Amino acid sequence: MFSKYKKTDAKAAKAPAEVIDNVTAFEEKKPAASMRKALKPAAAAPVDKELKRKQRMSDIKLELHRALLDNLNLAALEKATEADLRQEINEISAEILAEKAIVLNREDRMTLNAELYDEVTGLGPLETLLKDETVNDILVNGPQQIFVERDGKLELTDVTFKDERHLLRIIDKIVSAVGRRVDESNPYVDARLQDGSRFNAMVPPVAVDGSLVSIRKFKKDKLGIDDLVNFGAFTEEMAAYLQAAVATRLNIIVSGGTGSGKTTTLNALSSFIDNAERILTIEDTAELQLQQTHVGRMESRPPNVEGKGEVSPRDCLKNALRMRPDRIIVGETRGEEVIDMLQAMNTGHDGSMTTIHANSARDGVSRLENMIAMAGIEMPLKAVRSQVSSAVNLIVQASRLQDGSRRMTSITEITGMEGDVISMQEIFRYQRVGLTPENKIIGHFTATGVRSHYAERFRMWGYDLPASIYEPIAAE
């Protein structure tokens, strides 16, 4: 059988004939339920055989993958449809299995062909996890240990790589697609997958027990304000307040820890921006999904292997100020770009937004002060705080709680300076009450009873919020 996708001048590598009678023969009957407790200490044998079975299947897949690379015309694959390519892989796989005298049952053959397709066109074992809509993060600790995050909780999967070489091949496939490289001389890399997911990898010798990979999956369906309210991230009253804050062009910082939902919150808040405004976004990895018509997206770039060609967030921000933006949205402020961000907020770009890593609103202000200091700016502390207090109007604190749920735990206004101290007032908070036996957090959202410092501004812009939204709610 000669196909347009198969090389005509190469044959599959010969290997010693090996017969695997139905792979399911490795499986043994499980003991009766009444005996399981008594037999538990001796239950290692079936597990060992199952591991051997998986290892054997992995060996077969590796052999077939190498043979496929020898047989497939990779140049022609770029024009092949998915159906044609799957059929071609199935046919070549059947030929090679027959040539090597390997017998598999139908189910194992289908699984093997699907994995081979992922190896040839996708990211191997990671492909299944990337397609799983319930998975938010994929965390690889070496070839034999892959964790995923579902509903805010980490869990170990049964997905594995064949060995470290297999894992390194997939890493190299990802980074080479975006013009990067990773090796001993450059042992870590940041990249973006084709679907927009954030990818980070660190390889030996820096990664001691095998390569470390983390993938933050890109959500195709953007969560809106209504979705977050339905999920219990915050209340209708808080949403009404935030709508007024965004629409009246308050400068907002979304603060929180890693994985707390900062970018999701920023996306949701951006939905309140008027469609007539020109928005420029600046990110390390493009994740924001703004729905407005007039959006200019920028992405920073790390230096190349020669140490040249870097485009920092600060470079993007400086250039953005010359592009007549109405608002500037920085995906994350983490360094010296904070100076330009605060300057933009202070000089006619009201309504700008960004995120920072901090555990509370007060910590967020301290982080801003520290970033200004790290930028090498020689300024008295009072001048720094005055700059921050005049630039930032609102800090929204997002948190991932111990049960995996994400909540907007605080909305705090910055009202100015009192002496050398930045004055702040909390408008809404999440009040924790207790914990259920299933370790689910019991709590409720409540206003603090403090009327917004910007209430008159809201009214002048046509957002006359009722006084009732500032009334505290007693615990049930």
Side-chain angles (χ1 to χ4, degrees):
M1 187 274 295
F2 296 98
S3 167
K4 59 182 178 179
Y5 303 120
K6 187 176 179 182
K7 295 179 182 177
T8 55
D9 58 346
K11 295 182 179 179
K14 296 286 184 181
E18 178 182 11
V19 178
I20 299 180
D21 294 330
N22 196 322
V23 178
T24 56
F26 287 106
E27 299 179 354
E28 296 186 357
K29 292 183 178 180
K30 296 180 180 178
S34 60
M35 298 178 63
R36 283 177 185 164
K37 190 171 183 180
L39 295 177
K40 191 173 181 180
V47 175
D48 290 343
K49 287 191 175 182
E50 179 64 22
L51 288 174
K52 289 180 181 178
R53 175 180 176 273
K54 287 184 177 181
Q55 183 67 32
R56 185 63 61 86
M57 288 294 293
S58 180
D59 291 340
I60 295 172
K61 186 176 77 171
L62 186 62
E63 275 195 59
L64 286 179
H65 183 247
R66 288 171 178 165
L68 277 172
L69 292 179
D70 288 337
N71 281 266
L72 285 171
N73 183 351
L74 298 180
L77 293 183
E78 296 180 1
K79 300 178 182 179
T81 65
E82 179 180 339
D84 288 344
L85 182 54
R86 286 188 182 275
Q87 181 180 354
E88 190 67 24
I89 289 175
N90 293 351
E91 291 176 358
I92 295 178
S93 171
E95 284 186 4
I96 297 171
L97 287 173
E99 185 178 312
K100 295 178 180 296
I102 298 175
V103 180
L104 299 177
N105 63 25
R106 185 173 181 273
E107 182 181 350
D108 286 328
R109 188 186 291 267
M110 290 177 62
T111 301
L112 188 63
N113 288 336
E115 291 177 350
L116 286 171
Y117 177 83
D118 289 339
E119 288 285 346
V120 172
T121 64
L123 303 180
L126 298 179
E127 200 68 31
T128 303
L129 301 178
L130 288 168
K131 292 175 182 176
D132 189 341
E133 295 294 333
T134 65
V135 172
N136 297 320
D137 289 89
I138 303 170
L139 306 169
V140 181
N141 301 336
Q144 302 301 318
Q145 197 178 64
I146 301 178
F147 287 85
V148 296
E149 183 200 286
R150 287 189 176 95
D151 299 323
K153 293 287 189 180
L154 292 177
E155 57 185 69
L156 181 64
T157 69
D158 58 358
V159 178
T160 60
F161 289 86
K162 163 68 177 171
D163 50 29
E164 178 66 17
R165 289 179 60 191
H166 185 196
L167 175 53
L168 286 171
R169 182 162 52 82
I170 296 299
I171 292 173
D172 188 62
K173 188 174 185 179
I174 293 171
V175 299
S176 60
V178 292
R180 312 264 176 88
R181 76 171 190 181
V182 59
D183 50 34
E184 289 187 6
S185 61
N186 184 43
Y188 53 88
V189 66
D190 266 311
R192 180 157 49 93
L193 303 184
Q194 288 185 347
D195 66 352
S197 299
R198 289 170 57 181
F199 172 87
N200 178 273
M202 188 169 284
V203 302
V206 177
V208 178
D209 299 319
S211 298
L212 301 174
V213 173
S214 62
I215 299 175
R216 172 69 56 84
K217 286 180 61 178
F218 181 77
K219 292 289 186 183
K220 296 179 178 64
D221 298 325
K222 182 176 71 71
L223 295 178
I225 290 289
D226 292 337
D227 297 315
L228 296 180
V229 170
N230 293 335
F231 292 153
F234 50 91
T235 63
E236 287 282 1
E237 290 77 13
M238 295 166 73
Y241 173 86
L242 290 170
Q243 180 178 13
V246 175
T248 59
R249 300 175 67 89
L250 295 185
N251 294 321
I252 300 174
I253 288 180
V254 180
S255 167
T258 301
S260 60
K262 297 187 300 297
T263 303
T264 300
T265 301
L266 196 61
N267 258 328
L269 293 180
S270 69
S271 66
F272 293 134
I273 299 176
D274 190 276
N275 201 41
E277 297 183 46
R278 172 171 168 79
I279 308 165
L280 296 180
T281 68
I282 300 165
E283 302 174 83
D284 283 331
T285 303
E287 291 180 291
L288 293 172
Q289 298 170 276
L290 274 61
Q291 303 304 308
Q292 284 76 10
T293 304
H294 204 158
V295 178
R297 305 173 72 203
M298 287 179 268
E299 189 176 67
S300 62
R301 186 179 70 183
N304 58 23
V305 293
E306 298 174 350
K308 300 178 180 179
E310 178 182 14
V311 180
S312 70
R314 188 173 190 182
D315 296 329
C316 294
L317 193 46
K318 285 180 177 178
N319 201 64
L321 295 174
R322 305 185 182 103
M323 299 173 69
R324 198 227 165 266
D326 289 310
R327 300 186 193 233
I328 297 174
I329 299 179
V330 179
E332 183 177 345
T333 301
R334 66 178 73 181
E336 60 184 13
E337 68 272 11
V338 67
I339 297 295
D340 301 286
M341 187 72 212
L342 293 176
Q343 291 284 2
M345 289 177 169
N346 267 327
T347 56
H349 300 92
D350 295 339
S352 295
M353 294 185 275
T354 187
T355 71
I356 59 173
H357 279 270
N359 296 321
S360 68
R362 182 62 69 179
D363 284 348
V365 171
S366 297
R367 279 273 294 153
L368 291 174
E369 295 172 6
N370 290 338
M371 283 188 281
I372 293 173
M374 288 189 293
I377 304 297
E378 297 289 340
M379 288 175 65
L381 182 59
K382 185 174 182 179
V384 170
R385 290 179 174 174
S386 177
Q387 179 88 347
V388 171
S389 67
S390 61
V392 181
N393 304 121
L394 197 66
I395 298 180
V396 177
Q397 183 68 34
S399 300
R400 181 172 61 176
L401 306 181
Q402 66 197 61
D403 62 356
S405 61
R406 293 172 172 87
R407 299 280 188 270
M408 196 176 290
T409 53
S410 175
I411 298 179
T412 304
E413 295 178 346
I414 294 181
T415 58
M417 293 278 291
E418 292 182 5
D420 292 345
V421 179
I422 295 175
S423 58
M424 306 167 70
Q425 62 181 24
E426 190 175 39
I427 306 299
F428 297 95
R429 71 162 65 104
Y430 181 71
Q431 189 73 49
R432 291 178 59 169
V433 178
L435 205 63
T436 68
E438 294 79 26
N439 288 325
K440 292 290 184 182
I441 290 175
I442 304 171
H444 68 281
F445 293 99
T446 180
T448 60
V450 178
R451 185 172 182 266
S452 173
H453 177 73
Y454 303 102
E456 183 61 22
R457 179 183 180 122
F458 295 164
R459 190 184 67 80
M460 294 294 291
W461 286 63
Y463 291 88
D464 196 4
L465 301 180
S468 58
I469 74 167
Y470 302 117
E471 295 175 1
I473 300 174
E476 298 180 357

